[in-house]
Every structure is written in C-alpha cells, then in structure tokens.
Amino acid sequence: MTILRLAIPSPLRRLFDYLPPSDVDNALLEPGIRVLVPFGKRDVIGILVEVTNTSDFSINKLKHAKQLLDSEPPLPQHLFKLARWAASYYQHPEGDALQHAIPVLLRKGQSCEYQHETLWRAKEGANTDTLKANALRQIELLALLIEHPQGISEDAIRAEGGNTQSLKALEKKELIESFHREHKTDYGQVLREAPLTLNNEQKSTLEQINKPKGFAVSLIEGITGSGKTEVYLQAIEKVLNEDKQALVLVPEIGLTPQTVTRFQQRFNVPIAALHSNLTDRQRLDAWLQAREGVARIIIGTRSAIFTPLSHPGIIIIDEEHDPSFKQQDGFRYSARDIAVMRARAEETPIVLGSATPSLETLHNAIEGRYQWLKMTQRAGNSAPPAFKLLDIRQEKLSEGLSKQLITAIGQHLNNGTQVLVFLNRRGFSPTLTCNDCGWIADCTRCDAHMTLHRSPPHLHCHHCDKQQGIPQRCPECNSDQLQPVGVGTERSEQTLKHLFPDHPVIRVDRDSTQRKNAMHDIMDKVNTGDPCILVGTQMLAKGHHFPKVTLVAIINADSGLFSADFRGMERTAQLILQVAGRAGRADHPGSVMMQTYHAEHPTLQTLVEHGYSAFAQEELHNRRIAQLPPYTHYALLRAETTTKYRAESFLSALRQQLEDDMLLPHGVHWIGPFPSPMEKRAGMHRAQLMIYAENRKNLHQLLANLCWYLEQNKEARKVRWSIDVDPADTF
Ligand code: ADP
Ligand code: ZN
Ligand code: ZN
C-alpha cells in the first residue's frame, strides 16, 4: 500500500493522506514534488512530504491524487528540509510554509523546467532590400537583428519598438530564426573592474572570512563607510572564481538600483535581483536561473532566502539588524536566522554585516559562536561625523525646528554643501485637532490618530490604511478652528522652503517616491552636488550615499526612547546611527545634530559619547537583568477579535486551562495576557500572552503543545490567533 502524505496550503497544522494517482511509477514519488489533489470541492497543489504505507484514516476513505506535477522536486532536498524545519520552528502550518518557499507561479502549477532564453537573429544573407519599401516596421526590425548577430530576446525587441507581428512576418519569409542561448558557465573574466586595494582592517576581515573551510558565521561590525560592501565584493569574487554562487540579502528599502549597480559594475557575471517590482514570471525566471547556476549572484530581500542555488558558495546578509528580515504576518520567519541554518546545511560561510548589529547577533559573537570582525575606521580617508545633542526643553521651536538647528542648516548651505533633515513621520502632521473643543481626528478602526496629508489633501491612518477627506468643520462642535498638530515630512518641507527659499528642498518618503523613477530623479538632483536640503524618513537612511551631505539633522531623536517595546531603545540607536552615517562620506567631514527633550538620558549619552558598542554593552546588561532576549527566548501568542475584551478573556481562559491540564515545562514562564500596545487596529481588538524560557527546547515543546491545544479548542475557532516566535516587535 502506497500512501502519499502531503502538505497542503491550509491553516491546519497537519498533513493529508492520499493514494497515488492510478498507474503511477513509484520511483517518481520523491519528497518535495508538487502533486495535484482534490481537496474539498477544489483541486489544490500539495507538496509530497513523505511516502508511507499506513494511515490514521481508513484506506477506502482516501482519495486518489490526480497528477504529479514534477518529475523532480523544485527545491533541492536540503532546502525542502530547511523549509520544513522553519515551519516547525515558527509553529506555522507546513503546507503554507512550503508554499512560501517557492515562487507564486510554482504554487499555481506552472512548470519549473528551466527555459533556455529564446533569442532571435537574422538568417545568413538576409537583407532588408528584399522587403517591400513600405514594410517599414519589418525593415527596421530586420536591420536591428542584422546589427545583433549574437541574437536578442523578444523583450529587448519590444523595448526597441519592434512587435510580435513583424517578427512572425519575417520568420514566415525565412529571413530570421529563433534559437536557444545555451547556458554559459564560462564568462572569462569574473571581474569587470579592478577591486579597490583594501586597507588593513578590511584585509584582515576578508582573511578571517576566507580562512575557515565550510560553514562559519562571521559578524562584520563595521561603522558606516568602513568599507563593508567592498569586503563583501571581494569575498564574492573568491567564490565566483571557484565557480560558485553568492546569495546576498539586503533590507527591503535597501534593494535600490544603486545597490545592484555596484555589483554589476564589479562583476562580469549574470546577476539576478529579486526585488518587489518583478512580475511573477520574472521572479520565477530569476529563481530558475539561480537554481540552474546561470545567475551567479542573487541579490534579494527576505523571501530570497529560499532561492535554490546549484553551487552555493557564500551567503551575505547586509544590515543584518534590519527588522524587515523578519516577516511580520503569516509565516513569521526570520530570514537572517534561517540563513544561518541554510549556510550550515550547505556548508558555506555566512557573513552578517552591520554598523549596528542586533543584540542577538552581538550576543552570539560575544559567546564565540560567531567570528567577530570589527572595522572601526572609515575607508577612503573620511572622518566619522561629530555628534551634538540639542536640548530643546526650554526652546520655542518654529514648526519643530530649533534656532540653533536653523542657523546650522544655513551655515552648511552657505558653505556650499548639502543638509539632510530626518524625521520619522511622513505626511503633513501627525494629527488634526479642534482648537475649541479639543476633538482629535482619530481613526475609527484603530487606537491611533489619523495623519494629515496636504499633497493630496486627506486624512490617512498609517496603521490600517483608512483614508478620508479633511473635514472643514469640527464634527463635535462645528467650529472651523481645526489645526494641524505636530510635524511630518510635508510640513518640514514647507517650513524649510520658506526659511531657505534660495535652495532646493527635496522630500524623500514613501509618498514622494511612489512614482516610477522618482528616486532616480531625486538622486540625479542630489548628485549634481549643489547645496540642497533633503528632508525625509528612514528611506534616507539606507542604501543611498550622499557624499556632499555635511550636516545630518535629526528632528525627533527621542521618539523611540520610551517605547512599550523592549527593543525600542535598540531600534532608536540603530536608526540614529544609520541616518548619521550618511554624513561626511567622501572628503567632507560631517556633523550630526539631534534635537531631544531628554538630553540627559543616560542611554542617549552613551550612544553619542561612546558609540554603538558601548551602548550595546549597556543594553545587553539591562536585558540580562530583565531576563529579556537574547538571554531568554520569547514567543508571543496573539489573539484578535471583533469585540472588545474578547481577545484578552480568551487568552486568560486559555492560560487557566493550560495550567490546570498541563505541566509547564521546566523554566518556561508566561506573562499576561495584556491588551496589545495598540489595542485596536484595523477594527480588531488585540491582546497577547508572552511566553519565555531560558531554554529554547522547552519553549518549543510548550509551543507545539499549545498549537495542538488551540487547534482542538472550539473557542479558538472564534478568534484569530497567531504565534510569533522570536518576535521582532511586540505590537
Ligand atoms: P560600508 O558598506 O561599510 O558603508 P562601503 O563599502 O560602501 O562602506 O565604503 C564606503 C566608501 O569607501 C565607498 O565610497 C567605497 O568606495 C570607499 N572604499 C571602501 N573601501 C575602500 C578602500 N579600500 N580604498 C578606498 N576607498 C574605499
Ligand atoms: Zn470642536
Ligand atoms: Zn486605522
């Protein structure tokens, strides 16, 4: 009896048994292949997890699978195993997790055969003279193909203005032909440009990365501008010379054309960039190119971690501390942590780089599990910026800006350099209020204010995306005295334009960069080097270099200092240093001015006076005392309901029940339930139960039991619950 055990995309944490399709060769039943099966009233695509000969169900109740969709599994066995491991580690239904590991088109049943690229070329002796003089499009197209004897793709033909009709016409006339480009592994020179000569710190860092054979984790803790990227490039060069591939993960807003260009300029090999603007087809193609070994460098964001490589050589995680490596909904995995597991499985080195490493990673380095490589000098002779805290407690601010700061901005502009003004709020102002009765424009679906936007004018909730018009009069008292409160990027832009009318003020945030090429145009303006003011959100902090910026102004440096989240302090420090790192690159020494109401805050002082390492040490000490990660392991059980208090009472009852029924594993503790820091969001009322343990095994044992329990529990079906292992934030 052959029984197929399948992972099927479903919220249930179990596998499903099927009989093989009739008259199928058992040798084809390899774990990892996709199988089309009837599921309820639909046909769905499942993934074969194992082949067995017993089932908990009676055999005559089992249905036959309809069809095997693969002759070979899309994911190599070790990645298939890794995805299964991740599903169990993050307590996520296996069917959904496995789907997550493959591109959308494969989830929909497309073939995963690698398609060699189809190219078109002119046949020998083809000549435009043989075409009718009025067949202009065909003449142009044939001329184009004659110019490119090595062949061009249909996409490229279209980009040049050609169309499929002319192509078909020319093919019919036997003037042109299509052919497949064989996948070339020999690219001649790996390098397109000469690498930089490394300074001593870079040299020893590179040597340390290259020294161990096989799996090893290295942390490069290198200040911004210390030349980490150059070290990555040279580590990749070595790997390419060994005919292997490199997988590079970058944060979501770090995957800019600039980033990719830097790799393209250096290397003469095919590079696949897995960014969010790809169509599903392009994404699958890039994925297949990686699996086939055609793409030699793969650069992507979080989800690229499951991209198969035929010859894995190295994994690099740039800005490893970035929260975007952790998925915040559904399959809540950490791409960085999975990357370490993957490198172990593939026996390759992995490099985690950051100017401000996460405390988890630092802890691993301190404990000796990771090689700890430090780069403290800026490469290419520029000085790190000088920090200054501006105490604004007694100050009368004009639209959020202190006198000192305005003077400094003026000075830098007059000196002919650029200024970057950072504030972490887009829109015009964080809310709108009535001067007469105190009404505030709140989101009806969230415990949050609506942000006022001026271009175009509307109120927008940044938490649930609700948008509405701006009321002319107060909905409570009908007064027309409605006032914006607080400063966002749009308002800062307006103020700065008013204060410095002779200089361009360029806003950079999610709203101003939505248009295609917007960022490109902005960078063109900045790259002229003319004095200007850049005002924007953390989009300014990553992936971009602003060599002419000499002053970085941080408007609300303390916004995260008193966050309810225990990572608030860490995130604030990371953001401040990231933004600060934009100043004084190249040959312009920079300074950073930070406005704060808490100039005496010891943590802020440590950060400013002694730098990130000193800050991190203090913060680790605090975490140890408070029994917080990385000294303990955390998970959150979140619950959401449409009625108030239901989520919390559900969790309370659950906790009580579990305590009655089940022995907590040794060293596992609960805290809560509490309402979530933002209790209501997008119309749902939210509460959470924190679970932590010194020992990861014990925590996972409890979580597995908990999931099982929840799936059996009738009450649990009435709430939306989820488990977040190693949560990136507690909201
Ligand atoms: P990071 O990634 O640490 O922020 P980068 O690798 O981007 O630093 O380097 C910062 C700047 O210094 C870049 O302009 C880079 O070209 C330059 N640079 C890096 N290494 C060297 C070197 N060895 N010699 C000269 N310039 C260098
Ligand atoms: Zn009012
Ligand atoms: Zn809302």
Side-chain angles (χ1 to χ4, degrees):
M1 197 76 230
T2 307
I3 290 163
L4 311 184
R5 197 148 287 162
L6 299 181
I8 283 178
S10 117
L12 297 178
R13 286 167 173 75
R14 48 164 285 217
L15 300 172
F16 295 83
D17 291 352
Y18 283 87
L19 298 171
S22 26
D23 55 75
V24 81
D25 179 356
N26 276 8
L28 294 173
L29 298 173
E30 195 179 340
I33 61 167
R34 294 171 298 158
V35 183
L36 187 71
V37 294
F39 189 73
K41 291 195 175 107
R42 302 171 299 141
D43 286 347
V44 302
I45 294 173
I47 293 179
L48 180 59
V49 169
E50 56 180 343
V51 180
T52 76
N53 48 24
T54 58
S55 174
D56 295 342
F57 298 89
S58 76
I59 302 292
N60 50 26
K61 288 240 171 85
L62 296 183
K63 292 184 191 159
H64 278 278
K66 291 203 158 159
Q67 194 190 341
L68 308 184
L69 298 178
D70 295 306
S71 51
E72 254 179 81
L75 283 176
Q77 283 305 320
H78 71 280
L79 285 189
F80 178 61
K81 269 200 202 137
L82 185 68
R84 293 194 65 194
W85 170 83
S88 97
Y89 181 90
Y90 293 103
Q91 305 294 336
H92 195 69
E94 197 162 340
D96 194 64
L98 287 176
Q99 298 270 327
H100 201 96
I102 58 176
V104 172
L105 288 185
L106 294 188
R107 294 175 216 166
K108 293 186 177 161
Q110 289 253 345
S111 153
C112 70
E113 293 285 317
Y114 176 70
Q115 302 288 327
H116 287 275
E117 197 182 11
T118 304
L119 301 180
W120 291 87
R121 67 183 164 211
K123 282 196 168 182
E124 239 179 84
N127 190 318
T128 51
D129 296 346
T130 58
L131 292 167
K132 286 205 191 105
N134 63 357
L136 279 179
R137 305 200 76 150
Q138 292 182 30
I139 294 176
E140 272 174 21
L141 179 54
L142 184 55
L144 180 75
L145 293 177
I146 291 171
E147 262 175 53
H148 294 89
Q150 75 282 33
I152 35 183
S153 70
E154 201 166 327
D155 276 350
I157 289 172
R158 259 189 241 112
E160 295 287 329
N163 62 21
T164 317
Q165 225 179 335
S166 322
L167 206 61
K168 292 280 170 252
L170 290 175
E171 189 185 20
K172 222 166 159 190
K173 292 176 187 157
E174 296 194 2
L175 292 169
I176 64 171
E177 62 191 354
S178 64
F179 66 101
H180 288 309
R181 167 143 65 201
E182 283 310 308
H183 116 222
K184 221 167 59 158
T185 42
D186 177 17
Y187 292 93
Q189 287 288 350
V190 156
L191 286 176
R192 200 187 290 283
E193 63 170 18
L196 299 176
T197 308
L198 298 182
N199 64 32
N200 286 339
E201 274 188 340
Q202 286 173 312
K203 210 180 284 169
S204 77
T205 301
L206 183 64
E207 276 168 16
Q208 295 300 317
I209 291 171
N210 287 341
K211 199 191 280 168
K213 285 254 171 302
F215 171 70
V217 191
S218 307
L219 162 64
I220 307 185
E221 180 180 6
I223 62 166
T224 327
S226 58
K228 294 184 291 298
T229 310
E230 185 59 34
V231 173
Y232 305 154
L233 291 171
Q234 301 202 17
I236 292 172
E237 179 187 337
K238 171 168 178 278
V239 164
L240 294 174
N241 280 326
E242 293 164 356
D243 278 332
K244 294 185 197 153
Q245 296 161 287
L247 176 61
V248 183
L249 295 193
V250 299
E252 238 148 52
I253 52 180
L255 186 47
T256 62
Q258 260 181 329
T259 315
V260 181
T261 306
R262 195 152 170 203
F263 286 84
Q264 282 166 340
Q265 279 170 346
R266 175 64 55 91
F267 298 113
N268 187 33
V269 302
I271 296 174
L274 292 162
H275 53 75
S276 54
N277 285 338
L278 297 182
T279 62
D280 287 346
R281 182 71 236 175
Q282 287 169 325
R283 185 167 287 274
L284 176 57
D285 285 343
W287 194 87
L288 291 172
Q289 281 167 13
R291 196 187 67 173
E292 218 53 29
V294 177
R296 303 288 303 283
I297 302 174
I298 290 82
I299 309 176
T301 49
R302 177 180 67 229
S303 63
I305 187 54
F306 291 109
T307 314
L309 305 177
S310 61
H311 297 93
I314 192 168
I315 302 179
I316 288 166
I317 316 277
D318 191 25
E319 311 285 11
E320 67 81 32
H321 65 278
D322 195 276
S324 77
F325 288 123
K326 178 86 176 12
Q327 177 136 316
Q328 306 278 19
D329 52 15
F331 182 21
R332 293 174 168 79
Y333 66 97
S334 157
R336 176 197 63 205
D337 296 348
I338 290 183
V340 173
M341 297 299 287
R342 176 172 177 166
R344 186 195 299 274
E346 294 184 334
E347 296 176 26
T348 67
I350 172 166
V351 178
L352 310 177
S354 174
T356 53
S358 65
L359 297 187
E360 279 78 3
T361 297
L362 271 178
H363 180 61
N364 279 324
I366 291 167
E367 299 277 299
R369 284 187 286 270
Y370 297 174
Q371 285 205 87
W372 194 359
L373 311 170
K374 294 178 202 171
M375 306 212 306
T376 57
Q377 310 292 320
R378 283 209 169 182
N381 67 15
S382 70
F387 279 87
K388 187 167 181 195
L389 285 175
L390 298 180
D391 185 347
I392 50 171
R393 266 172 300 190
Q394 312 296 332
E395 280 248 4
K396 199 170 164 322
L397 305 178
S398 40
E399 305 276 304
L401 302 174
S402 64
K403 263 207 199 74
Q404 268 199 76
L405 191 57
I406 295 173
T407 312
I409 293 175
Q411 281 166 353
H412 282 259
L413 292 173
N414 285 337
N415 290 342
T417 58
Q418 300 174 338
V419 174
L420 190 158
V421 176
F422 170 81
L423 79 172
N424 215 4
R425 283 172 177 160
R426 65 197 170 90
F428 186 81
S429 76
T431 191
L432 183 72
T433 184
C434 168
N435 267 0
D436 285 335
C437 77
W439 169 85
I440 295 175
D442 281 330
C443 177
T444 51
R445 311 178 64 221
C446 304
D447 289 333
H449 302 321
M450 303 276 287
T451 301
L452 175 69
H453 287 249
R454 282 273 168 91
S455 55
H458 69 289
L459 292 172
H460 193 161
C461 173
H462 290 176
H463 301 282
C464 73
D465 218 27
K466 180 179 158 150
Q467 303 183 29
Q468 63 187 59
I470 302 171
Q472 295 301 312
R473 290 182 167 274
C474 172
E476 293 285 327
C477 75
N478 210 31
S479 154
D480 60 1
Q481 295 299 305
L482 296 183
Q483 280 260 317
V485 185
V487 179
T489 46
E490 285 180 16
R491 192 172 194 177
S492 247
E493 177 191 20
Q494 188 184 58
T495 311
L496 290 163
K497 274 186 172 150
H498 180 73
L499 289 169
F500 303 101
D502 300 334
H503 296 284
V505 177
I506 305 166
R507 177 161 59 91
V508 182
D509 57 26
R510 189 138 40 106
D511 305 309
S512 75
T513 52
Q514 249 171 18
R515 191 174 46 81
K516 211 180 163 193
N517 290 333
M519 199 64 209
H520 195 260
D521 296 348
I522 289 170
M523 290 312 295
D524 276 352
K525 261 192 234 169
V526 177
N527 287 336
T528 60
D530 294 339
C532 67
I533 303 175
L534 283 152
V535 51
T537 58
Q538 55 172 325
M539 287 195 88
L540 284 171
K542 292 173 196 170
H544 297 286
H545 302 265
F546 302 107
K548 274 277 186 142
V549 167
T550 52
L551 173 65
V552 169
I554 302 180
I555 302 301
N556 44 356
D558 38 29
S559 59
L561 286 184
F562 301 99
S563 154
D565 191 331
F566 70 82
R567 286 201 174 82
M569 201 75 84
E570 179 186 348
R571 296 259 190 268
T572 303
Q574 287 165 343
L575 195 56
I576 288 174
L577 287 192
Q578 290 248 303
V579 183
R582 306 300 110 190
R585 302 185 68 113
D587 305 326
H588 304 274
S591 59
V592 179
M593 292 179 124
M594 300 164 43
Q595 298 194 143
T596 173
Y597 289 102
H598 307 282
E600 269 112 57
H601 196 293
T603 311
L604 209 50
Q605 294 224 336
T606 304
L607 183 67
V608 165
E609 280 167 27
H610 306 289
Y612 186 79
S613 292
F615 157 82
Q617 247 166 41
E618 258 184 46
E619 194 58 14
L620 278 171
H621 177 74
N622 296 339
R623 296 262 187 100
R624 186 199 292 273
I625 290 171
Q627 293 216 356
L628 287 166
Y631 299 97
T632 50
H633 305 288
Y634 253 73
L636 280 181
L637 172 63
R638 293 192 178 90
E640 299 185 4
T641 56
T642 46
T643 26
K644 204 170 163 80
Y645 308 124
R646 268 286 301 285
E648 206 178 334
S649 58
F650 163 74
L651 291 178
S652 294
L654 179 76
R655 175 176 168 170
Q656 191 56 54
Q657 240 173 353
L658 289 173
E659 280 174 351
D660 293 346
D661 290 3
M662 162 169 115
L663 221 49
L664 269 188
H666 177 73
V668 180
H669 312 272
W670 334 88
I671 313 177
F674 300 115
S676 303
M678 185 184 289
E679 198 264 326
K680 192 169 127 200
R681 183 168 178 167
M684 300 296 280
H685 295 270
R686 313 171 330 139
Q688 58 197 30
L689 184 61
M690 277 189 183
I691 308 162
Y692 72 93
E694 293 91 65
N695 179 303
R696 201 178 265 295
K697 264 218 182 87
N698 293 345
L699 176 66
H700 276 81
Q701 187 198 329
L702 175 79
L703 293 177
N705 289 342
L706 187 61
C707 276
W708 183 86
Y709 204 91
L710 282 162
E711 292 207 320
Q712 315 303 316
N713 184 314
K714 269 208 192 106
E715 285 305 302
R717 287 185 207 141
K718 299 180 198 153
V719 302
R720 204 192 278 170
W721 59 269
S722 62
I723 290 180
D724 193 346
V725 179
D726 307 333
D729 61 48
T730 53
F731 284 83

PDB file of all heavy atoms in Angstrom, residues 443-446 448 450 461-466 681-682, ligand 3:
ATOM      1  N   CYS A 443      -8.584  57.579  14.104  1.00  0.00           N
ATOM      2  CA  CYS A 443      -9.069  56.532  13.217  1.00  0.00           C
ATOM      3  C   CYS A 443     -10.163  55.766  13.957  1.00  0.00           C
ATOM      4  O   CYS A 443      -9.998  55.423  15.125  1.00  0.00           O
ATOM      5  CB  CYS A 443      -7.932  55.599  12.833  1.00  0.00           C
ATOM      6  SG  CYS A 443      -8.487  54.228  11.812  1.00  0.00           S
ATOM      7  N   THR A 444     -11.261  55.497  13.280  1.00  0.00           N
ATOM      8  CA  THR A 444     -12.335  54.766  13.951  1.00  0.00           C
ATOM      9  C   THR A 444     -12.006  53.286  14.075  1.00  0.00           C
ATOM     10  O   THR A 444     -12.627  52.566  14.841  1.00  0.00           O
ATOM     11  CB  THR A 444     -13.651  54.889  13.160  1.00  0.00           C
ATOM     12  OG1 THR A 444     -13.372  54.537  11.804  1.00  0.00           O
ATOM     13  CG2 THR A 444     -14.190  56.305  13.221  1.00  0.00           C
ATOM     14  N   ARG A 445     -11.015  52.828  13.300  1.00  0.00           N
ATOM     15  CA  ARG A 445     -10.710  51.398  13.295  1.00  0.00           C
ATOM     16  C   ARG A 445      -9.498  51.052  14.152  1.00  0.00           C
ATOM     17  O   ARG A 445      -9.206  49.880  14.367  1.00  0.00           O
ATOM     18  CB  ARG A 445     -10.507  50.922  11.861  1.00  0.00           C
ATOM     19  CG  ARG A 445     -11.649  51.379  10.915  1.00  0.00           C
ATOM     20  CD  ARG A 445     -11.381  50.924   9.508  1.00  0.00           C
ATOM     21  NE  ARG A 445     -11.380  49.481   9.438  1.00  0.00           N
ATOM     22  CZ  ARG A 445     -10.525  48.778   8.730  1.00  0.00           C
ATOM     23  NH1 ARG A 445      -9.585  49.377   8.040  1.00  0.00           N
ATOM     24  NH2 ARG A 445     -10.595  47.473   8.708  1.00  0.00           N
ATOM     25  N   CYS A 446      -8.731  52.098  14.551  1.00  0.00           N
ATOM     26  CA  CYS A 446      -7.503  51.846  15.304  1.00  0.00           C
ATOM     27  C   CYS A 446      -7.433  52.775  16.515  1.00  0.00           C
ATOM     28  O   CYS A 446      -8.062  53.818  16.533  1.00  0.00           O
ATOM     29  CB  CYS A 446      -6.265  52.142  14.455  1.00  0.00           C
ATOM     30  SG  CYS A 446      -6.179  51.244  12.916  1.00  0.00           S
ATOM     31  N   ALA A 448      -5.439  55.046  17.152  1.00  0.00           N
ATOM     32  CA  ALA A 448      -4.383  55.878  16.586  1.00  0.00           C
ATOM     33  C   ALA A 448      -4.994  57.114  15.970  1.00  0.00           C
ATOM     34  O   ALA A 448      -6.171  57.121  15.603  1.00  0.00           O
ATOM     35  CB  ALA A 448      -3.623  55.091  15.514  1.00  0.00           C
ATOM     36  N   MET A 450      -5.318  59.942  12.958  1.00  0.00           N
ATOM     37  CA  MET A 450      -5.166  59.971  11.509  1.00  0.00           C
ATOM     38  C   MET A 450      -4.093  61.010  11.179  1.00  0.00           C
ATOM     39  O   MET A 450      -4.072  62.090  11.761  1.00  0.00           O
ATOM     40  CB  MET A 450      -6.468  60.406  10.827  1.00  0.00           C
ATOM     41  CG  MET A 450      -7.700  59.584  11.133  1.00  0.00           C
ATOM     42  SD  MET A 450      -7.893  58.107  10.156  1.00  0.00           S
ATOM     43  CE  MET A 450      -8.348  58.658   8.545  1.00  0.00           C
ATOM     44  N   CYS A 461      -4.873  56.927   7.902  1.00  0.00           N
ATOM     45  CA  CYS A 461      -4.393  56.146   9.043  1.00  0.00           C
ATOM     46  C   CYS A 461      -3.241  55.272   8.562  1.00  0.00           C
ATOM     47  O   CYS A 461      -3.423  54.436   7.683  1.00  0.00           O
ATOM     48  CB  CYS A 461      -5.496  55.270   9.631  1.00  0.00           C
ATOM     49  SG  CYS A 461      -4.853  54.161  10.906  1.00  0.00           S
ATOM     50  N   HIS A 462      -2.063  55.459   9.142  1.00  0.00           N
ATOM     51  CA  HIS A 462      -0.895  54.697   8.697  1.00  0.00           C
ATOM     52  C   HIS A 462      -0.891  53.269   9.242  1.00  0.00           C
ATOM     53  O   HIS A 462      -0.006  52.491   8.929  1.00  0.00           O
ATOM     54  CB  HIS A 462       0.382  55.432   9.094  1.00  0.00           C
ATOM     55  CG  HIS A 462       0.596  56.700   8.302  1.00  0.00           C
ATOM     56  ND1 HIS A 462       1.626  57.560   8.543  1.00  0.00           N
ATOM     57  CD2 HIS A 462      -0.100  57.227   7.271  1.00  0.00           C
ATOM     58  CE1 HIS A 462       1.563  58.584   7.702  1.00  0.00           C
ATOM     59  NE2 HIS A 462       0.517  58.402   6.920  1.00  0.00           N
ATOM     60  N   HIS A 463      -1.871  52.949  10.062  1.00  0.00           N
ATOM     61  CA  HIS A 463      -1.903  51.603  10.625  1.00  0.00           C
ATOM     62  C   HIS A 463      -2.850  50.678   9.880  1.00  0.00           C
ATOM     63  O   HIS A 463      -2.600  49.496   9.757  1.00  0.00           O
ATOM     64  CB  HIS A 463      -2.261  51.661  12.106  1.00  0.00           C
ATOM     65  CG  HIS A 463      -1.282  52.489  12.872  1.00  0.00           C
ATOM     66  ND1 HIS A 463      -0.043  52.008  13.233  1.00  0.00           N
ATOM     67  CD2 HIS A 463      -1.320  53.782  13.280  1.00  0.00           C
ATOM     68  CE1 HIS A 463       0.633  52.964  13.865  1.00  0.00           C
ATOM     69  NE2 HIS A 463      -0.124  54.054  13.905  1.00  0.00           N
ATOM     70  N   CYS A 464      -3.976  51.222   9.382  1.00  0.00           N
ATOM     71  CA  CYS A 464      -4.924  50.351   8.694  1.00  0.00           C
ATOM     72  C   CYS A 464      -5.200  50.850   7.283  1.00  0.00           C
ATOM     73  O   CYS A 464      -5.972  50.257   6.546  1.00  0.00           O
ATOM     74  CB  CYS A 464      -6.231  50.248   9.468  1.00  0.00           C
ATOM     75  SG  CYS A 464      -7.213  51.748   9.366  1.00  0.00           S
ATOM     76  N   ASP A 465      -4.560  51.971   6.921  1.00  0.00           N
ATOM     77  CA  ASP A 465      -4.656  52.483   5.560  1.00  0.00           C
ATOM     78  C   ASP A 465      -5.990  53.175   5.253  1.00  0.00           C
ATOM     79  O   ASP A 465      -6.242  53.528   4.109  1.00  0.00           O
ATOM     80  CB  ASP A 465      -4.413  51.360   4.554  1.00  0.00           C
ATOM     81  CG  ASP A 465      -3.624  51.874   3.360  1.00  0.00           C
ATOM     82  OD1 ASP A 465      -2.874  52.846   3.546  1.00  0.00           O
ATOM     83  OD2 ASP A 465      -3.776  51.330   2.253  1.00  0.00           O
ATOM     84  N   LYS A 466      -6.815  53.369   6.256  1.00  0.00           N
ATOM     85  CA  LYS A 466      -8.072  54.076   6.024  1.00  0.00           C
ATOM     86  C   LYS A 466      -7.793  55.526   5.589  1.00  0.00           C
ATOM     87  O   LYS A 466      -6.911  56.186   6.123  1.00  0.00           O
ATOM     88  CB  LYS A 466      -8.897  54.079   7.318  1.00  0.00           C
ATOM     89  CG  LYS A 466     -10.222  54.804   7.179  1.00  0.00           C
ATOM     90  CD  LYS A 466     -11.004  54.741   8.480  1.00  0.00           C
ATOM     91  CE  LYS A 466     -11.996  55.887   8.473  1.00  0.00           C
ATOM     92  NZ  LYS A 466     -13.203  55.640   9.192  1.00  0.00           N
ATOM     93  N   ARG A 681      -6.760  47.742  16.231  1.00  0.00           N
ATOM     94  CA  ARG A 681      -6.101  48.023  14.969  1.00  0.00           C
ATOM     95  C   ARG A 681      -6.913  47.425  13.840  1.00  0.00           C
ATOM     96  O   ARG A 681      -7.294  46.254  13.900  1.00  0.00           O
ATOM     97  CB  ARG A 681      -4.702  47.421  14.980  1.00  0.00           C
ATOM     98  CG  ARG A 681      -3.935  47.726  13.730  1.00  0.00           C
ATOM     99  CD  ARG A 681      -2.489  47.353  13.931  1.00  0.00           C
ATOM    100  NE  ARG A 681      -1.770  47.607  12.706  1.00  0.00           N
ATOM    101  CZ  ARG A 681      -0.473  47.633  12.613  1.00  0.00           C
ATOM    102  NH1 ARG A 681       0.274  47.420  13.665  1.00  0.00           N
ATOM    103  NH2 ARG A 681       0.104  47.855  11.457  1.00  0.00           N
ATOM    104  N   ALA A 682      -7.189  48.244  12.822  1.00  0.00           N
ATOM    105  CA  ALA A 682      -7.976  47.814  11.672  1.00  0.00           C
ATOM    106  C   ALA A 682      -9.264  47.125  12.113  1.00  0.00           C
ATOM    107  O   ALA A 682      -9.672  46.106  11.568  1.00  0.00           O
ATOM    108  CB  ALA A 682      -7.151  46.897  10.767  1.00  0.00           C
TER     109      ALA A 682
HETATM  110 ZN    ZN B   3      -6.631  52.895  11.276  1.00  0.00          ZN
END
